[in-house]
Amino acid sequence: MALLTIFACVYVMFFAQRTYEATMTYALLSPKTPTEAEMRAQPELAAINGDNPYLRSGDRALLAQVLITKLGAQETAEQMKSQGLGAEYTVGQSLSSGSGMLLELSASGETPAQAVDTAKELGRRLKTTLHEVQVINGADDSYLYSALVIDGPGQASEIFSSRLRTLIIVAVAGALLVFVSVSVARSVEVARTRRPVVEKPAKHVDRDQVRNAELPGSRPGRGEDSVRQAGSVESVEQASVEDDQDLVTVPDRESRPRRS
């Protein structure tokens, strides 16, 4: 398991698939609405529909928040994925813009070309969505905000943090597997040491034991030594009986009755 973990880390570090990122920055430009003097000079300007709801809002970052919400929807990600583009991207306000009129798009891909194409498609959807949310009341184009490219997409760069994150995950998973395998091996070893040892009988039988077992008067399963021991025990018992017969019993003095 330790060797497999090392091989996996080396593969992730040097041979695994890379992730590339391309970024673009857009600026939201306010429309140039006609002044009252221009309307008096040109009465036809007053007939133009200028009902853009975002022009009436005092928060200039409201339109940027709407675009971030629309582009970050799951439906948009699925549509881009169906086109063969990357499904991982982010849309947010630029940190250098305090008013929220700068939007930064960041798109990821498995190849540099895919990352650049994803960023471009995301910028095109940004302009389309920007137009759709403003003409909800039929406002004329002269009263609409516009998006201007400030930077990007340029050449995509590799995301080293993604490779490092994958390497850390593989290393941690490998360490856990090594720990589990060592624990299992120790448990198996302890179980083997606690298992009782059962002695199996020998498969071969001595020929003398078989011959002695067939003799009359001998017990089955015993050899020549057991027969000899049985004969010696019988002779000892007979000798002890004869010795008992030759002995004369002498009454004990203490057991005699005393004379009065």
Side-chain angles (χ1 to χ4, degrees):
M1 294 307 300
L3 291 177
L4 288 177
T5 302
I6 294 174
F7 291 154
C9 291
V10 171
Y11 175 80
V12 170
M13 191 65 185
F14 298 102
F15 304 101
Q17 191 174 12
R18 304 287 188 264
T19 303
Y20 298 89
E21 183 182 39
T23 59
M24 296 183 68
T25 304
Y26 280 84
L28 301 180
L29 304 178
S30 302
K32 185 182 179 181
T33 57
T35 62
E36 295 181 359
E38 292 175 350
M39 288 182 181
R40 287 193 298 268
Q42 300 177 359
E44 65 273 8
L45 295 178
I48 298 177
N49 185 1
D51 189 7
N52 185 356
Y54 297 99
L55 287 177
R56 298 193 301 267
S57 176
D59 187 7
R60 300 183 63 184
L62 176 62
L63 183 58
Q65 293 295 332
V66 172
L67 294 175
I68 292 173
T69 304
K70 288 283 188 179
L71 295 177
Q74 184 66 25
E75 181 181 0
T76 304
E78 292 178 355
Q79 292 176 357
M80 296 185 66
K81 187 177 180 180
S82 63
Q83 297 177 3
L85 302 174
E88 295 183 2
Y89 59 87
T90 58
V91 181
Q93 297 181 5
S94 178
L95 299 178
S96 59
S97 175
S99 60
M101 302 305 290
L102 286 180
L103 292 179
E104 186 174 357
L105 313 179
S106 176
S108 302
E110 297 178 357
T111 61
Q114 187 184 34
V116 172
D117 293 341
T118 304
K120 290 181 179 180
E121 176 64 21
L122 198 60
R124 188 190 67 81
R125 289 178 176 270
L126 172 65
K127 293 181 179 181
T128 304
T129 306
L130 178 62
H131 183 270
E132 291 176 354
V133 297
Q134 295 182 94
V135 298
I136 186 173
N137 295 328
D140 189 74
D141 290 345
S142 59
Y143 287 87
L144 303 181
Y145 285 90
S146 61
L148 180 64
V149 180
I150 301 299
D151 186 22
Q155 187 177 0
S157 58
E158 182 185 352
I159 305 176
F160 183 75
S161 59
S162 176
R163 179 169 39 162
L164 184 61
R165 181 170 58 252
T166 306
L167 178 64
I168 293 174
I169 293 174
V170 171
V172 172
L176 291 177
L177 290 176
V178 170
F179 177 76
V180 171
S181 60
V182 170
S183 300
V184 171
R186 289 182 178 177
S187 301
V188 172
E189 185 178 359
V190 171
R192 288 180 178 177
T193 55
R194 292 180 178 178
R195 186 180 301 173
V197 180
V198 179
E199 295 183 357
K200 296 182 179 180
K203 295 182 179 180
H204 64 279
V205 180
D206 193 0
R207 295 180 179 178
D208 295 337
Q209 294 180 358
V210 176
R211 189 182 301 111
N212 294 332
E214 294 176 355
L215 292 177
S218 62
R219 296 181 181 179
R222 293 186 179 182
E224 218 173 49
D225 296 337
S226 59
V227 176
R228 293 176 181 176
Q229 290 178 1
S232 60
V233 170
E234 292 177 358
S235 59
V236 169
E237 290 179 354
Q238 292 178 1
S240 60
V241 171
E242 293 176 357
D243 292 340
D244 292 339
Q245 292 176 359
D246 295 339
L247 293 177
V248 177
T249 303
V250 180
D252 191 2
R253 295 181 180 181
E254 295 180 358
S255 61
R256 295 178 182 179
R258 296 181 180 178
R259 293 180 183 181
S260 56

